[in-house]
Amino acid sequence: MVQIEEDILGKNNQYAAANRQWFAEHRMLVLNLVSSPGSGKTTLLTRSIDDLQQELNLAVIEGDQQTSNDAARIRATGVKALQINTGKGCHLDAHMVGHALETLQPDNNSVLFIENVGNLVCPAAFDLGEAHKVAILSVTEGEDKPIKYPDMFHAADLMLLNKIDLLPYLDFDVEQCIRYARQVNPGIKILQVSATTGEGMDDWYQWIKAAQMLAAIGQ
Amino acid sequence: MVQIEEDILGKNNQYAAANRQWFAEHRMLVLNLVSSPGSGKTTLLTRSIDDLQQELNLAVIEGDQQTSNDAARIRATGVKALQINTGKGCHLDAHMVGHALETLQPDNNSVLFIENVGNLVCPAAFDLGEAHKVAILSVTEGEDKPIKYPDMFHAADLMLLNKIDLLPYLDFDVEQCIRYARQVNPGIKILQVSATTGEGMDDWYQWIKAAQMLAAIGQ
């Protein structure tokens, strides 16, 4: 069983390396958005696209077990979007993403958002070739999630603490949540946002723009 | 022997995690500059400091087995610099860097350059808590270095191909060198520079500024 798992991950890492080389050569910024179901990923993404698409060249890959509802929501913003249905699979893998790129054909210097299947376990182990995993945690989920799902928060470079407009109505300790996140990942960056009210979203946009600048420089 | 090595690296990783948390909390960008001896690291660094110190808050940690010549060269630019002598050691470690920070006291939002001991092997294994390892390879060293020292080029996010002003006088295949670097690290960014003539240095400065912006955002 362990052997099979290692073989699958080894194969995935080869495809991820090929994707990463392709992204580097095309000077693209690729963000892998991971979270539990209902954290507000798609709402956050559609708002981000609305606010950024005048400035940045954007594209989206949507991962879901079934339905293409999310890709339809994204396409309504006017941005290129492709849905991958994973069927029984609980995560995207690098091979699926490689195939999606052939169809999607994102532009050089663009920003590609990959919205992974809502799941705090499986997507942590599967590198897609992205520059950064971005973990979205909503304050309705409880502050202990980083230590309950340490692999995911260890793998992420940025945590977006979402739905902060609901903090007044919840018993959620923001500082404790941040301490937990740093416990599993000392260098993780943390931004507090509400995709509904827009609070804190400018910091997220600045972060994306800086990361895109970084990705666009060099051979 | 393997056990001892694992213990040493495990201990180092704990110190590196503490450094990384400290850097994140202080929103600092930390770059670990690695290369073989004579690649032009210190010249590259002094020129970069001269050109960037009006715009960015800079500090330097210099690693050498003996002498404090390099720190003196850096201090002549007007920037805070601290020398660490590693004695018999062929690399800096995270514990040394942690102690250096207490003395150096770099500012929030600053950029800290750590110039490692000139060595293409040992520094690859020792995380210092940096955001990026930057490998400097001079074209006088031959294009095969990335595949001869794969750990180092695998660990680096950026490769600066230095001394390109000497290319007309050498039999050095730039494209082959880039292919070798991508072979061991598909996502590595590559910039061609000459710290002597200044060619290509603006791209390096843009890369630093974008990375600094990224580091300065978030909690």
Side-chain angles (χ1 to χ4, degrees), chain A residues 17 20-21 24-25 27 175 178 182 186-192 203 206-207 210-211 213-215 217-219, chain B residues 17 20-21 24-25 27 175 178 182 186-192 203 206-207 210-211 213-215 217-219:
Chain A
R20 186 163 280 119
Q21 176 157 347
E25 288 170 357
R27 303 178 186 212
E175 292 311 312
I178 291 172
R182 289 263 156 77
I188 196 168
K189 283 280 170 181
I190 298 158
L191 297 174
Q192 300 180 40
D203 286 340
Q206 290 306 317
W207 188 92
M213 280 175 58
L214 197 59
I217 300 163
Q219 196 156 7
Chain B
R20 186 162 279 119
Q21 175 156 349
E25 288 169 358
R27 304 179 186 211
E175 292 311 312
I178 292 172
R182 289 262 157 78
I188 196 168
K189 284 280 171 182
I190 298 158
L191 297 174
Q192 299 180 41
D203 286 340
Q206 290 306 318
W207 187 92
M213 280 175 58
L214 197 60
I217 300 163
Q219 196 155 6

Side-chain angles (χ1 to χ4, degrees), chain A residues 5 38 59 76 84 86 111 142 163 175 189 191 193 201:
Chain A
E5 209 173 290
I84 299 174
T86 58
V111 178
K163 307 193 187 178
E175 292 311 312
K189 283 280 170 181
L191 297 174
V193 301
M201 294 291 278

Side-chain angles (χ1 to χ4, degrees), chain A:
Chain A
M1 192 62 193
V2 170
Q3 186 56 43
I4 294 172
E5 209 173 290
E6 279 173 6
D7 289 349
I8 290 172
L9 286 175
K11 198 102 185 158
N12 183 74
N13 285 343
Q14 288 172 20
Y15 286 114
N19 292 348
R20 186 163 280 119
Q21 176 157 347
W22 198 85
F23 297 144
E25 288 170 357
H26 292 76
R27 303 178 186 212
M28 287 172 58
L29 171 67
V30 181
L31 302 177
N32 181 357
L33 308 184
V34 291
S35 79
S36 49
S39 66
K41 269 203 308 300
T42 313
T43 300
L44 183 123
L45 194 50
T46 50
R47 183 167 193 140
S48 302
I49 291 168
D50 284 340
D51 291 340
L52 288 171
Q53 66 172 319
Q54 299 306 318
E55 280 179 86
L56 297 172
N57 188 331
L58 307 173
V60 176
I61 292 174
E62 279 291 333
D64 273 306
Q65 286 198 301
Q66 297 292 342
T67 85
S68 55
N69 299 348
D70 282 357
R73 278 173 75 185
I74 300 296
R75 260 187 237 108
T77 64
V79 156
K80 278 186 190 176
L82 190 88
Q83 183 84 41
I84 299 174
N85 283 330
T86 58
K88 292 194 189 306
C90 53
H91 61 86
L92 293 172
D93 66 38
H95 186 230
M96 296 170 187
V97 169
H99 274 305
L101 294 172
E102 293 166 16
T103 311
L104 191 65
Q105 300 199 318
D107 296 314
N108 288 353
N109 298 301
S110 61
V111 178
L112 173 64
F113 296 102
I114 303 177
E115 187 180 337
N116 219 313
V117 180
N119 183 311
L120 276 180
V121 180
C122 318
F126 285 80
D127 182 7
L128 306 179
E130 72 274 351
H132 308 282
K133 283 191 179 68
V134 178
I136 295 126
L137 176 64
S138 66
V139 296
T140 54
E141 298 172 62
E143 58 276 274
D144 60 347
K145 291 302 161 293
I147 50 170
K148 284 184 108 165
Y149 301 93
D151 290 347
M152 185 60 88
F153 290 87
H154 180 75
D157 292 322
L158 178 66
M159 174 171 106
L160 297 178
L161 197 57
N162 193 22
K163 307 193 187 178
I164 55 165
D165 54 298
L166 299 178
L167 280 174
Y169 318 108
L170 298 167
D171 183 24
F172 182 94
D173 185 339
V174 170
E175 292 311 312
Q176 184 61 52
C177 182
I178 291 172
R179 274 194 298 275
Y180 282 150
R182 289 263 156 77
Q183 191 176 316
V184 299
N185 183 354
I188 196 168
K189 283 280 170 181
I190 298 158
L191 297 174
Q192 300 180 40
V193 301
S194 166
T196 308
T197 67
E199 194 181 343
M201 294 291 278
D202 277 340
D203 286 340
W204 160 233
Y205 301 154
Q206 290 306 317
W207 188 92
I208 294 171
K209 286 183 227 174
Q212 189 274 333
M213 280 175 58
L214 197 59
I217 300 163
Q219 196 156 7

Side-chain angles (χ1 to χ4, degrees), chain B:
Chain B
M1 191 61 193
V2 170
Q3 186 56 46
I4 293 172
E5 209 173 290
E6 278 173 7
D7 289 350
I8 290 172
L9 285 175
K11 199 101 186 160
N12 184 74
N13 285 344
Q14 288 172 20
Y15 285 114
N19 291 349
R20 186 162 279 119
Q21 175 156 349
W22 198 86
F23 297 143
E25 288 169 358
H26 292 76
R27 304 179 186 211
M28 287 172 59
L29 170 66
V30 182
L31 302 177
N32 182 357
L33 308 184
V34 292
S35 79
S36 49
S39 66
K41 269 202 308 300
T42 312
T43 300
L44 184 122
L45 193 51
T46 50
R47 181 166 193 141
S48 302
I49 291 168
D50 284 340
D51 291 340
L52 288 170
Q53 67 173 318
Q54 300 303 319
E55 281 178 85
L56 297 172
N57 188 331
L58 306 173
V60 176
I61 292 174
E62 279 292 332
D64 274 304
Q65 286 198 303
Q66 297 292 342
T67 84
S68 56
N69 298 349
D70 283 356
R73 278 173 73 185
I74 300 295
R75 257 186 238 108
T77 64
V79 156
K80 279 186 190 177
L82 190 88
Q83 183 84 41
I84 300 174
N85 283 329
T86 58
K88 292 193 191 303
C90 51
H91 60 87
L92 293 172
D93 66 38
H95 186 232
M96 296 171 187
V97 169
H99 275 304
L101 293 172
E102 293 165 17
T103 311
L104 191 65
Q105 300 200 317
D107 296 314
N108 288 353
N109 298 300
S110 61
V111 178
L112 173 63
F113 295 100
I114 303 177
E115 187 179 339
N116 219 312
V117 179
N119 185 309
L120 276 180
V121 179
C122 319
F126 285 81
D127 182 9
L128 306 178
E130 72 274 354
H132 308 282
K133 284 192 178 68
V134 177
I136 296 127
L137 176 63
S138 66
V139 295
T140 54
E141 297 172 62
E143 59 274 277
D144 60 346
K145 292 302 160 294
I147 50 171
K148 283 183 109 165
Y149 301 92
D151 290 348
M152 185 59 90
F153 290 87
H154 180 76
D157 291 322
L158 178 67
M159 174 170 105
L160 297 178
L161 196 57
N162 193 22
K163 306 194 189 178
I164 55 164
D165 55 298
L166 298 179
L167 280 174
Y169 317 109
L170 298 167
D171 182 24
F172 182 94
D173 184 340
V174 170
E175 292 311 312
Q176 184 61 52
C177 182
I178 292 172
R179 274 194 297 274
Y180 283 150
R182 289 262 157 78
Q183 190 177 317
V184 299
N185 183 352
I188 196 168
K189 284 280 171 182
I190 298 158
L191 297 174
Q192 299 180 41
V193 301
S194 166
T196 309
T197 67
E199 194 181 343
M201 293 292 279
D202 277 339
D203 286 340
W204 160 233
Y205 300 155
Q206 290 306 318
W207 187 92
I208 294 170
K209 286 182 227 173
Q212 189 273 335
M213 280 175 58
L214 197 60
I217 300 163
Q219 196 155 6

